[in-house]
Amino acid sequence: MTAPGRRSSTFTRLLRHGFTDASAAERLLDSPELAPVRNDPVLLEALGATADPDLALLGLVRLLEAQPAPTARRELLDTLIAAKPLRDRLLGVLGASAALGDHLARHAADWHALVTYEPRDLHPGVEEFERGLAAADDPVSLRVAYRRCLLSIAARDVCGTTGVAETAAELADLATATLRAALRIARAAAPEDAALCRLAVIAMGKCGGHELNYVSDVDVIFVGEPAEDGGDETGALRAATRLASHLMRICSETTVEGSIWPVDANLRPEGRNGPLVRTLSSHVAYYQRWAKTWEFQALLKARPVAGDAGLGAQYVDALAPLVWQAAERDNFVADVQKMRRRVVENIPVAEVERELKLGPGGLRDVEFAVQLLQLVHGRADASLRSGTTLDALQALAAGGYVGRVDAVQLDEAYRFLRVMEHRIQLYRLRRTHLLPEDETDLRRLGRSLGMRGDPVTELTREWKRHTSVVRRLHEKLFYRPLLDAVAQLAPGEARLSPEAARERLVALGYADPAAALRHLEALASGVTRKAAIQRTLLPVLLGWFADSADPDAGLLNFRKVSDALGKTPWYLRLLRDEGAAAENLARVLSAGRLAPDLLMRAPEAVALLGDGRGDGGGLGPRGRAQLEQEILAAVGRAESAEQGVTAARGVRRRELFRTAAADIVGSYGTEAQSAEADQGALVDRVGGAVSDLTAATLAGTLRAVVREGWGDTLPTRFAIIGMGRFGGHELGYGSDADVLFVHEPREGVDEREAGQAAGRVVAEMRRLLQVPSADPPLLVDADLRPEGKSGPLVRTLTSYGAYYRRWSLVWESQALLRAEPVAGDADLGRRFIELVDPLRYPRGGLGEDAVREIRRLKARMEAERLPRGADPKLHTKLGPGGLSDVEWTVQLLQLRHGADEAGLRTTRTREALAAARAAGLVSQEDASTLDEAWVLASRVRNAVMLVRGRAGDTFPTEPRELAAVGRYLGYGPGHVGDMLDAYRRTARLARGVVEELFYGA
């Protein structure tokens, strides 16, 4: 029995050496197998140096138990104690890999493989691995030999004899030797097939790039040709396909020895749907005609590894020129970036933060950025054409395509993440890229990386630091060197040549790279603090500009804003310190003309793009009361009506910018594109914000005009009634304000005098709101008044009553459905609504004559008002399924049923449609169809105004403008046709509903 004091001392010693289960460790140390060395301090020190001392000790005991004889066990123990290189290798492997411990327990003599390589021979090549696999003549023996070779690679890895790049290269060399051995076995099994064909195996992905993981699919492409010129091509391809399939089974099938790794041929032309083996000419024809951008990106790593070496070399020689032309394809950068985004989006939400490979800041970020730069600049610079990520990164830095400091940081981060990936996979020899969640696994992982204090905390901190570096550099890697091309650099520093800089800008989608370089030079050159901050901001901003339909406009607008605000202390600080502000500004400046034009007239509105913590900051809409209060206060401080209205128009300009910016930022967000409800919310937000702003501006203008002409009191009560989309809270950026003006003489005031005063108010308001200035005009349209353009601009409430009683037509009742007081005397506005309610919600509904009249007017409008030459199917207002179709259908329902259904008594189209659905007047499906069409048409009109800076009811014809509308609507580059097809489809379905509900067809 062990004495208590000795037991306590042993426990302490074991814990100090890193054992977590001291009791189990003590029992293992007391086992008969370790009896000869249990008191040797060398063994305990060596175990304590491993990633997992408990696992290493257990593996050692199992290995000793598996030895076939006492002499073999003694040989192992003697070598273990006497030979430090073997001790470190063997215990290092046992402490890092339970799977390799299992292998040694099954194949007890394989520990001798760890004695094979001495310091003078650290890096075996393909030929040496082939010798290690030479005796394998069936799948099982090949798997055993493969694991034996893997032991030596893992030993050098965990002992630090080789770095991660060398380890990855050795794993790729072992994979090459294994593919050759598997093909040898397949040929031996089918010599008649081998005689019929030439077969080349092309390694792709990490194997092709000489950077393989411990456990990874080995991506390949097969090329086949007849064995003799003029031979039977069909028969040769069949034979080659049988050989290739057999090779894949040999490597992929699982037995008691496990599998080697899956061989994946899905990178071949047409993927899994294409033939497994093609001729060289078939490959070339496919890549010339059909291949997508990502397929050329994949070919960067193509490398012949097995089979017919001459045919493999021909394959690479034939396709390499096509690889280096890929950057000239339309939407090249956008395609690559979109593929990267798609990869991230497909990661399960629960795994995103643990993904070493695919997650943000992971290995794929480094690889994508490096490959993107290679494809752009490798056309002219052959030094960049390496399939190995770290070699390519070094070449990019040497050529000045990537800053040296950035390259060093990226190299360090990539190596760290690859080591983590290797050690995670090594433990069970399973294909995974997820950081473990179990603390024991994290502890082992941290210790395998040399972290001994608090391995879990240290590992987490270092991992977060490196992913943060990768995330930051991934964003700027493609753009930063553009600044170096135009900035003053220290003597001897490499930088992009002007030609390379222009090449990169073209690849990014800039139409005028020479102008873009001039803008960059103006922004980033010099030694001022302003230039220094710009050099920090521009790499990321350039990426956001490139993600738009018009990068040139974005960069030009940014230069204009910076020229105007560059000396303002808060401007660059805002963009530098608040990432959201910089991204919001980039989106706004490159999305079209309207928002930048509004911003250029008052660049200080950039402050709205921040986090909203300051007064008036943020992009959230402001309420009607808040807007009116600000405008009325500004008018109250003004010395004249003109100054007051100028102040009101200034507020309107700023708030239009706020609304447009929020719309753009929201429309470019992935969440905004995810659901129909979000599209409707964006339209409602814009319509409500612009309508409230228009109402507040009219209220301020009315106050300014009355105060200057009559002091505090106008001789007549005066109210403004919103009509059309204004009354419906559905104004767009380019909408006029449809209104009616109503007044009522005050007690004791002559009606003629009151009318003249009201007329002067209306005329002065309209004049001041349209005076040419830096602020956009507000056009006030009163054509919906009684008698139209022929009638007086303003009437008394009594006059309106008399007209509507005697002369009102059905279209006027329909127009009054949108009537709502927006400014002026609230009581007068309320009484006007009480006056018109019986007209717009008639008891008993509409008679058949009235219904026919409305249908006749609608048909006439469709025939007469559609602009000549316009495509009716793409006209958002008057075309089939457009705004007019939906609104007239809803308004007919309101006229017929509004008296009985309270929900229909609203000025808002979508609310009335929802009420009609709730009342059973419209089916759920039909209501959804009409709502979707109305929302889409409204969004298109808003998009056209944002992009062109002027109103329009049809899609633009200029390609960049059309693409910009598409981006606003959520369609990526190259998908303009999809956008137009989707609009036509939505409008066609809506027209079918209109035919039934409105025309009664």
Side-chain angles (χ1 to χ4, degrees):
M1 181 178 290
T2 306
R6 177 171 173 261
R7 181 178 178 83
S8 174
S9 172
T10 303
F11 260 64
T12 303
R13 205 154 45 101
L14 291 172
L15 293 173
R16 189 173 68 248
H17 280 92
F19 289 89
T20 58
D21 190 344
S23 297
E26 188 176 30
R27 287 195 299 272
L28 290 170
L29 286 169
D30 286 340
S31 64
E33 288 78 15
L34 286 177
V37 296
R38 72 163 55 98
N39 295 318
D40 194 317
V42 171
L43 177 62
L44 205 57
E45 291 289 339
L47 287 167
T50 65
D52 189 338
D54 301 88
L55 183 65
L57 178 57
L58 176 61
L60 178 60
V61 171
R62 292 179 65 206
L63 176 58
L64 289 166
E65 290 174 343
Q67 295 306 306
T71 53
R73 189 178 303 133
R74 187 71 221 186
E75 178 194 4
L76 172 57
L77 285 173
D78 289 345
T79 311
L80 187 72
I81 298 302
K84 186 178 188 304
L86 171 70
R87 184 168 65 245
D88 290 344
R89 291 173 185 168
L90 177 59
L91 295 182
V93 168
L94 292 174
S97 178
L100 290 178
D102 291 342
H103 174 85
L104 284 170
R106 286 195 304 271
H107 303 278
D110 277 4
W111 66 269
H112 292 93
L114 302 179
V115 188
T116 304
Y117 300 112
E118 296 302 323
R120 66 178 182 277
D121 191 16
L122 293 179
H123 305 298
V126 176
E127 291 74 16
E128 189 158 347
F129 284 128
E130 283 191 280
R131 285 193 290 274
L133 304 177
D137 56 4
D138 62 74
V140 174
S141 60
L142 179 60
R143 293 184 186 98
V144 174
Y146 174 83
R147 290 289 177 94
R148 188 182 305 120
C149 293
L150 197 64
L151 269 171
S152 61
I153 295 176
R156 289 188 294 276
D157 177 17
V158 298
C159 292
T161 307
T162 55
V164 64
E166 293 81 6
T167 299
E170 288 184 14
L171 288 167
D173 285 342
L174 176 56
T176 297
T178 305
L179 288 168
R180 292 177 183 177
L183 183 57
R184 169 172 51 79
I185 294 171
R187 282 173 166 164
E192 65 284 357
D193 285 339
L196 288 174
C197 65
R198 299 164 62 201
L199 177 65
V201 184
I202 311 298
M204 305 287 284
K206 289 188 178 299
C207 184
H210 252 99
E211 50 191 14
L212 198 61
N213 299 328
Y214 276 103
V215 187
S216 176
D217 292 355
V218 171
D219 296 307
V220 300
I221 286 177
F222 296 107
V223 189
E225 294 285 352
E228 300 176 358
D229 290 342
D232 177 12
E233 183 176 295
T234 302
L237 287 177
R238 288 174 179 167
T241 300
R242 289 191 289 270
L243 289 175
S245 299
H246 194 181
L247 178 154
M248 294 173 71
R249 287 196 301 274
I250 289 169
C251 296
S252 305
E253 286 179 351
T254 301
T255 68
V256 67
E257 295 294 340
S259 66
I260 302 175
W261 19 248
V263 175
D264 189 341
N266 287 338
L267 290 179
R268 66 187 185 268
E270 300 179 75
R272 65 183 62 192
N273 297 319
L276 184 62
V277 183
R278 288 175 182 257
T279 62
L280 177 58
S281 60
S282 175
H283 276 282
V284 172
Y286 173 83
Y287 283 105
Q288 286 177 335
R289 296 187 62 188
W290 308 111
K292 298 180 174 62
T293 299
W294 70 264
E295 294 179 277
F296 294 105
Q297 186 178 354
L299 284 172
L300 269 173
K301 296 182 179 293
R303 179 172 64 92
V305 290
D308 192 297
L311 180 57
Q314 286 178 281
Y315 175 90
V316 172
D317 290 344
L319 293 181
L322 300 179
V323 173
W324 304 113
Q325 296 166 11
E328 300 170 7
R329 297 163 63 94
D330 291 341
N331 303 313
F332 161 71
V333 173
D335 284 347
V336 175
Q337 292 172 337
K338 183 167 63 177
M339 186 170 73
R340 173 67 188 121
R341 286 194 293 269
R342 190 182 302 124
V343 167
V344 175
E345 290 165 1
N346 288 334
I347 303 172
V349 174
E351 298 179 359
V352 170
E353 296 301 321
R354 297 168 50 218
E355 253 288 355
L356 293 174
K357 178 180 178 180
L358 305 178
L363 293 162
R364 190 56 61 87
D365 271 355
V366 181
E367 293 160 358
F368 262 68
V370 168
Q371 290 164 21
L372 195 58
L373 293 174
Q374 285 182 277
L375 290 170
V376 170
H377 299 295
R379 293 175 290 176
D381 190 342
S383 70
L384 306 180
R385 298 179 183 180
S386 170
T388 305
T389 301
L390 290 176
D391 291 347
L393 179 59
Q394 185 177 3
L396 287 165
Y401 304 98
V402 175
R404 288 188 177 128
V405 173
D406 289 348
V408 168
Q409 290 180 329
L410 208 59
D411 182 281
E412 179 187 353
Y414 187 74
R415 289 177 189 272
F416 179 84
L417 294 172
R418 285 302 303 274
V419 172
M420 285 183 67
E421 181 185 45
H422 277 185
R423 301 295 164 78
I424 291 169
Q425 293 184 349
L426 182 59
Y427 175 55
R428 291 288 185 195
L429 287 181
R430 290 177 182 164
R431 183 174 180 263
T432 179
H433 312 288
L434 293 177
L435 190 71
E437 294 180 292
D438 182 76
E439 187 166 341
T440 301
D441 292 332
L442 289 171
R443 182 175 182 273
R444 180 192 314 109
L445 180 57
R447 284 176 59 88
S448 77
L449 297 174
M451 301 168 183
R452 291 293 190 266
D454 182 353
V456 176
T457 301
E458 292 177 47
L459 173 68
T460 303
R461 182 176 62 245
E462 283 300 289
W463 174 54
K464 293 293 185 185
R465 181 175 71 85
H466 285 297
T467 55
S468 176
V469 167
V470 171
R471 201 173 299 183
R472 175 175 56 83
L473 293 180
H474 172 75
E475 291 173 346
K476 83 172 197 176
L477 191 60
F478 203 73
Y479 312 106
R480 184 78 190 199
L482 289 167
L483 305 188
D484 297 339
V486 298
Q488 298 293 324
L489 298 183
E493 281 196 58
R495 69 176 185 179
L496 282 180
S497 67
E499 293 75 17
R502 280 194 291 271
E503 198 171 61
R504 186 174 297 190
L505 285 164
V506 169
L508 285 168
Y510 287 82
D512 190 349
L517 283 174
R518 289 196 299 273
H519 299 325
L520 291 176
E521 185 171 13
L523 288 163
S525 293
V527 295
T528 64
R529 179 174 173 275
K530 172 186 172 184
I533 296 178
Q534 292 281 27
R535 286 192 290 271
T536 301
L537 292 170
L538 276 165
V540 180
L541 288 170
L542 283 168
W544 285 323
F545 294 149
D547 194 36
S548 73
D550 196 349
D552 300 79
L555 181 56
L556 172 61
N557 289 332
F558 180 69
R559 179 181 176 183
K560 289 178 178 177
V561 173
S562 294
D563 287 346
L565 292 176
K567 295 181 180 179
T568 308
W570 56 264
Y571 166 62
L572 290 175
R573 186 170 63 245
L574 171 76
L575 299 184
R576 181 194 63 195
D577 297 341
E578 293 188 29
E583 181 174 4
N584 290 345
L585 179 61
R587 300 297 188 205
V588 166
L589 293 180
S590 56
R593 296 179 185 172
L594 178 65
D597 285 350
L598 292 169
L599 182 60
M600 296 310 168
R601 293 165 182 168
E604 65 276 4
V606 166
L608 299 176
L609 301 171
D611 60 13
R613 286 177 289 189
D615 292 340
L619 294 177
R622 302 175 72 199
R624 161 79 179 274
Q626 189 178 7
L627 291 169
E628 192 166 314
Q629 182 181 18
E630 180 184 359
I631 288 176
L632 291 177
V635 168
R637 293 190 296 270
E639 296 181 358
S640 66
E642 189 157 341
Q643 289 179 2
V645 175
T646 297
R649 290 174 64 180
V651 174
R652 177 172 178 266
R653 179 202 60 237
R654 184 198 68 209
E655 294 304 317
L656 279 174
F657 172 75
R658 188 200 303 270
T659 302
D663 190 14
I664 291 165
V665 171
S667 296
Y668 272 75
T670 54
E671 300 85 354
Q673 312 301 343
S674 62
E676 177 185 321
D678 290 325
Q679 310 299 306
L682 287 168
V683 170
D684 290 345
R685 184 170 64 186
V686 171
V690 178
S691 299
D692 284 346
L693 178 56
T694 301
T697 305
L698 289 175
T701 304
L702 176 60
R703 173 74 61 84
V705 170
V706 170
R707 191 183 67 166
E708 179 163 285
W710 293 271
D712 293 331
T713 306
L714 190 68
T716 186
R717 293 181 177 85
F718 187 90
I720 303 175
I721 310 299
M723 299 289 286
R725 298 180 75 84
F726 184 19
H729 296 256
E730 297 162 355
L731 285 180
Y733 298 110
S735 302
D736 295 347
D738 289 316
V739 297
L740 297 179
F741 297 109
V742 57
H743 78 104
E744 184 177 65
R746 295 185 185 278
E747 189 174 348
V749 176
D750 178 71
E751 187 169 323
R752 182 177 178 184
E753 177 190 349
Q756 290 176 341
R760 285 168 54 197
V761 167
V762 169
E764 186 66 0
M765 284 183 65
R766 298 180 79 185
R767 184 186 73 81
L768 291 175
L769 287 170
Q770 298 179 49
V771 168
S773 75
D775 302 313
L778 174 56
L779 301 179
V780 177
D781 188 339
D783 288 352
L784 291 176
R785 64 188 183 270
E787 301 177 73
K789 294 181 180 180
S790 303
L793 273 175
V794 59
R795 289 174 180 260
T796 63
L797 183 62
T798 303
S799 175
Y800 275 107
Y803 175 85
Y804 288 135
R805 280 193 304 272
R806 297 184 62 189
W807 310 110
S808 177
L809 301 175
V810 67
W811 73 264
E812 292 176 296
S813 295
Q814 183 180 351
L816 288 169
L817 285 167
R818 316 293 290 277
E820 180 172 291
V822 294
D825 190 293
D827 179 67
L828 180 59
R830 178 185 57 77
R831 286 188 286 129
F832 178 88
I833 296 302
E834 291 174 352
L835 170 69
V836 301
D837 269 351
L839 277 79
R840 55 184 184 173
Y841 309 126
R843 288 192 178 279
L846 287 183
E848 285 304 311
D849 289 345
V851 172
R852 281 194 295 272
E853 176 64 12
I854 289 176
R855 290 171 176 167
R856 187 187 66 79
L857 288 172
K858 176 75 168 65
R860 178 182 171 188
M861 183 177 69
E862 290 176 8
E864 296 179 359
R865 294 192 183 180
L866 193 70
R868 182 176 297 176
D871 181 352
K873 294 180 180 179
L874 293 177
H875 199 280
T876 60
K877 183 176 181 181
L878 301 176
L883 294 170
S884 175
D885 264 4
V886 177
E887 290 169 0
W888 281 57
T889 300
V890 171
Q891 289 160 16
L892 182 58
L893 291 169
Q894 289 179 286
L895 288 165
R896 298 177 97 171
H897 305 284
D900 300 321
E901 296 291 342
L904 290 174
R905 297 197 286 272
T906 173
T907 63
R908 307 182 187 211
T909 301
R910 298 187 72 213
E911 281 188 11
L913 182 57
R917 182 195 65 219
L921 302 173
V922 181
S923 71
Q924 173 72 46
E925 182 180 359
D926 286 350
S928 296
T929 299
L930 293 177
D931 186 72
E932 181 183 358
W934 189 89
V935 166
L936 179 57
S938 297
R939 292 212 75 211
V940 171
R941 294 180 93 207
N942 284 344
V944 170
M945 185 66 187
L946 286 169
V947 169
R948 303 178 68 193
R950 61 182 186 274
D953 293 317
T954 61
F955 288 87
T957 55
E958 199 279 320
R960 274 191 180 261
E961 292 180 345
L962 187 60
V965 170
R967 298 305 297 276
Y968 172 87
L969 295 176
Y971 292 88
H975 291 279
V976 164
D978 294 339
M979 171 184 67
L980 298 178
D981 289 344
Y983 181 84
R984 291 188 186 99
R985 181 174 59 254
T986 302
R988 183 178 68 252
L989 292 173
R991 180 64 179 194
V993 176
V994 171
E995 293 283 356
E996 180 181 346
L997 294 180
F998 182 81
Y999 289 108

